[in-house]
Amino acid sequence: QVQLVESGGGLVQTGGSLRLSCAASGSISSINVMGWYRQAPGNQRELVADITRIGGVTNYAGSVKGRFTISRDNAKNSVYLQMNSLTPEDTAVYFCKAVSWLGSREYWGQGTQVTVSS
């Protein structure tokens, strides 16, 4: 089992920045990909960015490319999301997700609210 705890959400003005953190505990060795998803009211949960354990291969949603940066510290069992040039369209609950090596298991954090005011 893996537990994920997010932090770093909050309220920021348009054009501002926030950094989200996700700390994993438990069966860490079973985890390959870690990433961030978000869900705005009335919308489906969508991928923001993810990163592999080996090689740090990243994948971004088109809407955040060039503004958000995902990074990972395997020694600290943590993944981060640096969000710059935020807009009201980025307002959502952001969830951390971890996926096992064979993709057979997924784990989710409880979510952290990000609100961008205009």
Side-chain angles (χ1 to χ4, degrees):
Q1 197 73 2
V2 173
Q3 295 77 42
L4 303 172
V5 178
E6 304 105 330
S7 61
L11 174 65
V12 65
Q13 292 185 334
T14 295
S17 298
L18 282 174
R19 186 176 188 244
L20 305 183
S21 299
C22 173
S25 60
S27 301
I28 304 302
S29 61
S30 68
I31 295 302
N32 177 17
V33 177
M34 294 186 72
W36 292 94
Y37 285 67
R38 66 185 181 186
Q39 188 169 18
N43 290 355
Q44 290 187 334
R45 193 170 297 188
E46 62 177 4
L47 171 70
V48 177
D50 59 25
I51 185 168
T52 61
R53 181 177 182 84
I54 304 300
V57 178
T58 58
N59 176 41
Y60 291 94
S63 59
V64 307
K65 277 184 180 178
R67 300 189 299 124
F68 291 11
T69 302
I70 190 169
S71 60
R72 182 168 180 166
D73 187 336
N74 291 330
K76 294 184 178 180
N77 302 318
S78 295
V79 64
Y80 309 97
L81 187 68
Q82 178 66 43
M83 305 185 293
N84 299 328
S85 302
L86 286 160
T87 73
E89 288 68 37
D90 296 314
T91 295
V93 178
Y94 284 69
F95 296 89
C96 180
K97 177 183 175 181
V99 182
S100 64
W101 284 98
L102 297 178
S104 58
R105 301 202 69 173
E106 298 180 348
Y107 304 92
W108 291 91
Q110 80 286 352
T112 185
Q113 177 71 46
V114 171
T115 302
V116 185
S117 63
S118 58

